[in-house]
Amino acid sequence: MTSELVTDRHLCRKAMIYIRQSTANQVVTNQESLRLQYALRQRASDLGWDDANIEVVDVDLGLSGSTLSHREGFKDVIARVTLGEVGIILSYEVTRLARNCTDWYPLLDLCGFRQCLIGDRDGIYDPGSANGRLLLGLKGTISEVELHTLRGRLTAGLLNKAKRGELALLLPAGLERDTNGIVHKDPNQEVQDRVSLIFTTFLDLGSAGKVMRRFRDHALTLPRRDRFGEIVWRAPTAGMLTAILKNPAYAGAFVYGRTRSCHSTYANGKLMTERCPMSEWKIVVKDRYPIYLDWERFEQVQAMLRDNHAEYQRNKTRGVPRDGAAVLQGIVWCGQCGHKMAVQYKNANSYVCNYLLRSQGGQLCQHLPADLIDARVVEAFLEAIGPAELEAWARAKHARQQTRDATNRAEAQQVERLRYQALLAERQYNRVDPDNRLIAAELERRWETALRELRQAEEALARRQAEACKPEALTSEEQNDFLALGARLPEIWQRPQVDRESKKALLRSLIDKVILQRVTRDRITIRIVWRGGEISQLEVEPRVHAGSALSRGAEMEARVLELARQGIDDITIAGILTQEGHHSARCNHVPARTVQLIRQRHRVLHDARSIRERHISGWLTIAKVAQCLQVSTSWVKRRIHSGVINVQRDPHDKRFLFPDTEESIAALHELKSGERDHLVIAPRANK
């Protein structure tokens, strides 16, 4: 079989035979198609090529032709064509070369420029001619459309089967499909109980990380499927627990379309995928599988997982309650800019809104004291708690006890499984010939390992049972009092047994968010949004550094002057101002000292005689003595305090006074020069 398009120019170059199958399964099963492709070598010989110039390229077997990046064989063919080494490219179908026009048309342009022919089972084509390019272009377009048609047909059938919930997806550990396609729970009771324990423990603790630590503390493992679909037991990790908690199959639901393709690709050309939120799942068929928890509790678990995701600024979630001193961590919002506030523990506990500072380089929005706000919100929370919430606490305690019992049962089941494995290893060791040391040594090692794991599990179980016999932090009498009297809740709140994480979790059970806004420097408004939509409006008055920062500071100052001019004493004025709702910068009342300072600053004095004279005729103050002696005032004070200068404080003027006489000044000079080591000053006579 020859062609008029084949010339000596083509025959002196290579004939490249490109062979490709789309998947590895096709390479194994579609053997006849593979034979037809390798038979193209005879086709090249019939066209006139020598066997030495015929080259088979089968590097891309098992690779899809939808992209070019991962097909090294096709890249090699293009490189050889570019160098002018190829006279013809043979393929059983042109669809083997490329399945998209993005890769197909550059190949046609290159082959036309280098005068390289393209051939398939239908004929030989010259990409450099108009007719050849037209036919090859149509075949390339048809192959691309065919790919989309096949994919669409397969996808439509898959979606139709998924809508009925009959699509056989891979089941997680704890569920298995029988030969009739019916899904049952795993017959292994330990697997069932362990999966149930994961959900009950998470609902009790509220965090996947806490569940992982609880399981590791009790040396509990997780059932997982290996690559062959068999159940294996692994040490728990946060990723394993999250995958189990997010799997809707445990809630009895068949779900298709939990992920979607991104625009990005991996290095091998495969599209990246990302998880879709529950609202965007394509197909959800409930009640298809046996359930480990109902759908309502599954949705509660998903809401808790989303809420625990602590990327506050992006996800607007509250995060997991932690051990920080600020009890409103994660639920505080800024009343000015509307962003979530962060917690700062530098110098003092504070709530800080620094979103605009970090994102736009602006100013700090708000910086508020945390302790004062926390105390006011906790007070409102304790006032809002009623008997229903206390009964809920009792139910939660009962649920925790059930979780504890389930954990103990899981440990006992694990010990039973390890005991069986140890007995199995012993039987295997006893069956082997002792002289066959290559096998006996390995079986002996396995037996010892199984016994070691069994002993560790038994010791951990015994230790846990001993700890369970210890009395609880709260006695039964205290628990009954707690349930009976809501008035005692503030007292229990302050007990050291109640940690900060529990307090925060308790607050979040009723409070959705807290919005803070500083109205004035000494007044902060607190808006509590309760679960259910109710809103409470509160206020706190933080301390300020000066009376001028008080919103009613000017009013209080005017009132002080008014009352002082009426001859009222400072203590009475302080009581009147406190009753009128005034307070000082650092106290929640008005001290008499604050009244005195305001009055003296404005020169409103009750008794003019109480003013000390600045200069007293015939007497010298410490400052005047220091000036006369040309020493510092501290020099004089040190000698007064040490007793070198014996002088008494004047009872009327409340100062140390020295006679303004030549004898007194001369005596002070002698004391300075060292000629005198002691000096006695006579006091001033009382008026």
Side-chain angles (χ1 to χ4, degrees):
M1 180 179 180
T2 60
S3 173
E4 60 182 10
L5 297 177
V6 179
T7 63
D8 294 339
R9 184 189 302 110
H10 300 107
L11 293 175
C12 67
R13 290 185 279 181
K14 293 282 187 179
M16 305 290 292
I17 300 174
Y18 184 76
I19 298 175
R20 183 183 65 81
Q21 296 280 67
S22 298
T23 63
N25 182 58
Q26 291 181 4
V27 176
V28 176
T29 58
N30 298 358
Q31 291 293 318
E32 198 62 34
S33 173
L34 203 59
R35 293 190 189 95
L36 291 173
Q37 293 188 64
Y38 277 107
L40 291 174
R41 188 181 187 92
Q42 182 61 39
R43 172 81 182 280
S45 298
D46 295 341
L47 290 173
W49 268 272
D50 297 333
D51 289 342
N53 284 338
I54 299 174
E55 188 171 336
V56 177
V57 179
D58 55 2
V59 180
D60 296 339
L61 282 173
L63 299 178
S64 172
S66 57
T67 58
L68 172 65
S69 58
H70 61 287
R71 290 192 293 154
E72 298 300 327
F74 187 70
K75 291 179 182 179
D76 181 59
V77 171
I78 293 176
R80 302 280 290 277
V81 172
T82 304
L83 296 174
E85 299 177 0
V86 182
I88 189 172
I89 301 174
L90 287 174
S91 180
Y92 188 70
E93 296 173 344
V94 292
T95 57
R96 302 294 178 185
L97 293 171
R99 276 287 194 179
N100 63 81
C101 294
T102 304
D103 300 334
W104 180 243
Y105 281 105
L107 177 63
L108 297 185
D109 294 336
L110 184 61
C111 290
F113 177 72
R114 288 298 184 181
Q115 298 180 358
C116 176
L117 303 177
I118 295 178
D120 62 5
R121 61 179 181 177
D122 296 329
I124 306 298
Y125 312 96
D126 183 6
S129 65
N131 290 334
R133 186 176 178 84
L134 176 62
L135 291 174
L136 290 173
L138 288 174
K139 286 198 169 191
T141 303
I142 291 172
S143 74
E144 187 178 48
V145 173
E146 181 186 13
L147 184 64
H148 289 284
T149 303
L150 291 173
R151 184 182 292 115
R153 188 182 303 146
L154 294 174
T155 303
L158 184 144
L159 290 176
N160 190 45
K161 194 172 184 179
K163 288 178 181 178
R164 302 193 305 270
E166 298 176 358
L167 186 63
L169 298 179
L170 180 64
L171 294 173
L175 296 173
E176 63 177 21
R177 186 178 285 106
D178 62 14
T179 55
N180 297 324
I182 301 175
V183 177
H184 304 277
K185 285 188 176 181
D186 194 300
N188 190 332
Q189 188 63 39
E190 184 184 10
V191 175
Q192 294 185 27
D193 292 346
R194 195 63 50 85
V195 173
S196 299
L197 180 62
I198 292 171
F199 287 98
T200 55
T201 307
F202 178 80
L203 290 171
D204 179 29
L205 301 179
S207 166
K210 292 180 180 179
V211 176
M212 178 191 70
R213 289 189 288 274
R214 170 71 67 81
F215 274 50
R216 285 184 176 271
D217 291 342
H218 291 74
L220 294 177
T221 53
L222 297 182
R224 303 290 290 171
R225 291 198 182 276
D226 59 11
R227 59 195 183 102
F228 303 108
E230 299 297 329
I231 295 294
V232 293
W233 295 88
R234 306 290 188 194
T237 64
M240 291 180 187
L241 289 168
T242 303
I244 293 174
L245 292 169
K246 289 185 176 181
N247 198 323
Y250 292 114
F254 170 86
V255 176
Y256 181 81
R258 296 171 60 197
T259 60
R260 60 189 169 200
S261 299
C262 306
H263 297 293
S264 305
T265 58
Y266 294 101
N268 60 1
K270 192 175 181 180
L271 285 173
M272 295 182 179
T273 59
E274 62 180 4
R275 292 189 176 275
C276 303
M278 286 184 61
S279 58
E280 298 180 11
W281 288 352
K282 290 183 180 179
I283 298 172
V284 179
V285 182
K286 299 179 182 179
D287 301 326
R288 292 295 303 176
Y289 304 142
I291 64 172
Y292 282 89
L293 77 167
D294 55 42
W295 185 256
E296 182 179 356
R297 293 174 64 199
F298 176 75
E299 290 181 331
Q300 180 185 353
V301 169
Q302 305 314 302
M304 293 171 66
L305 288 172
R306 288 193 303 270
D307 204 28
N308 290 347
H309 197 184
E311 294 185 80
Y312 300 131
Q313 300 300 337
R314 190 181 73 180
N315 295 314
K316 307 298 182 184
T317 57
R318 302 191 296 180
V320 181
R322 303 184 187 277
D323 195 35
V327 298
L328 302 181
Q329 160 251 328
I331 61 175
V332 184
W333 295 75
C334 178
Q336 292 188 11
C337 65
H339 291 95
K340 184 175 287 293
M341 299 184 73
V343 179
Q344 186 179 85
Y345 294 114
K346 184 178 180 180
N347 298 328
N349 304 331
S350 305
Y351 294 120
V352 181
C353 179
N354 55 3
Y355 177 80
L356 298 178
L357 176 65
R358 292 187 297 102
S359 61
Q360 303 177 14
Q363 296 181 349
L364 193 68
C365 190
Q366 289 194 111
H367 189 282
L368 306 177
D371 296 339
L372 184 65
I373 296 171
D374 291 348
R376 187 68 184 92
V377 172
V378 169
E379 180 184 350
F381 169 77
L382 295 177
E383 292 174 356
I385 285 189
E389 285 73 18
L390 298 175
E391 293 175 4
W393 180 87
R395 291 194 299 270
K397 177 181 176 298
H398 180 65
R400 285 195 299 271
Q401 182 61 38
Q402 289 182 332
T403 302
R404 191 179 300 113
D405 295 341
T407 303
N408 295 335
R409 186 167 58 254
E411 289 188 77
Q413 290 174 341
Q414 182 166 272
V415 169
E416 184 178 352
R417 173 171 52 84
L418 293 175
R419 185 177 291 113
Y420 167 75
Q421 292 178 355
L423 292 174
L424 179 62
E426 181 182 5
R427 288 197 298 270
Q428 291 175 342
Y429 175 76
N430 291 332
R431 290 188 187 127
V432 72
D433 185 358
D435 294 335
N436 191 351
R437 295 304 304 166
L438 294 177
I439 298 179
E442 175 62 21
L443 293 178
E444 183 179 7
R445 185 191 63 80
R446 293 181 184 180
W447 185 16
E448 291 176 352
T449 302
L451 289 174
R452 189 184 307 112
E453 293 178 353
L454 175 61
R455 184 176 64 255
Q456 293 174 352
E458 288 176 340
E459 291 175 354
L461 179 60
R463 185 170 58 253
R464 213 76 61 195
Q465 290 175 346
E467 293 175 354
C469 298
K470 295 180 180 179
E472 297 184 351
L474 298 178
T475 64
S476 58
E477 182 180 354
E478 290 174 334
Q479 294 172 16
N480 294 332
D481 292 341
F482 181 79
L483 293 175
L485 301 176
R488 293 195 58 199
L489 186 57
E491 174 194 347
I492 297 179
W493 181 276
Q494 299 298 333
R495 292 187 178 182
Q497 291 91 343
V498 183
D499 56 15
R500 291 169 178 168
E501 296 182 16
S502 301
K503 292 179 180 179
K504 294 179 183 181
L506 191 58
L507 284 175
R508 294 179 181 204
S509 65
L510 289 185
I511 298 176
D512 186 34
K513 65 174 65 174
V514 178
I515 303 171
L516 306 178
Q517 184 172 5
R518 188 189 288 273
V519 180
T520 59
R521 293 181 63 180
D522 65 330
R523 190 160 64 94
I524 299 173
T525 61
I526 304 173
R527 191 161 68 251
I528 302 177
V529 181
W530 301 91
R531 294 277 188 176
E534 295 293 330
I535 297 176
S536 298
Q537 195 78 22
L538 308 173
E539 284 189 359
V540 292
E541 295 180 346
R543 294 180 178 181
V544 292
H545 297 290
S548 58
L550 297 172
S551 57
R552 299 179 63 190
E555 178 186 348
M556 183 178 69
E557 192 169 316
R559 183 64 171 153
V560 168
L561 298 178
E562 177 188 352
L563 296 174
R565 290 189 178 102
Q566 296 176 10
I568 304 175
D569 62 277
D570 295 344
I571 297 177
T572 305
I573 293 175
I576 294 173
L577 294 176
T578 302
Q579 291 179 359
E580 294 178 353
H582 294 282
H583 61 87
S584 67
R586 296 180 178 273
C587 304
N588 56 3
H589 64 281
V590 180
R593 177 61 178 167
T594 301
V595 176
Q596 181 185 7
L597 292 175
I598 295 175
R599 181 173 51 74
Q600 290 179 350
R601 187 167 61 248
H602 291 274
R603 308 298 293 174
V604 178
L605 307 174
H606 286 167
D607 187 1
R609 292 177 300 177
S610 64
I611 304 176
R612 295 189 300 184
E613 299 178 8
R614 190 172 183 84
H615 302 287
I616 302 175
S617 178
W619 294 88
L620 300 175
T621 62
I622 291 179
K624 287 293 185 180
V625 171
Q627 184 178 356
C628 293
L629 299 179
Q630 296 182 353
V631 295
S632 63
T633 57
S634 61
W635 185 89
V636 181
K637 292 179 180 178
R638 282 198 303 270
R639 279 150 181 81
I640 293 175
H641 293 155
S642 63
V644 175
I645 301 177
N646 188 355
V647 59
Q648 301 297 324
R649 192 184 297 273
D650 187 79
H652 177 73
D653 199 74
K654 307 299 182 184
R655 288 183 290 181
F656 293 106
L657 298 179
F658 297 81
D660 188 7
T661 61
E662 293 181 1
E663 294 82 2
S664 177
I665 295 175
L668 289 169
H669 278 287
E670 292 176 0
L671 184 66
K672 176 186 175 183
S673 62
E675 299 176 9
R676 183 190 292 266
D677 58 1
H678 188 70
L679 179 62
V680 178
I681 303 298
R684 185 171 66 148
N686 294 334
K687 295 183 179 180

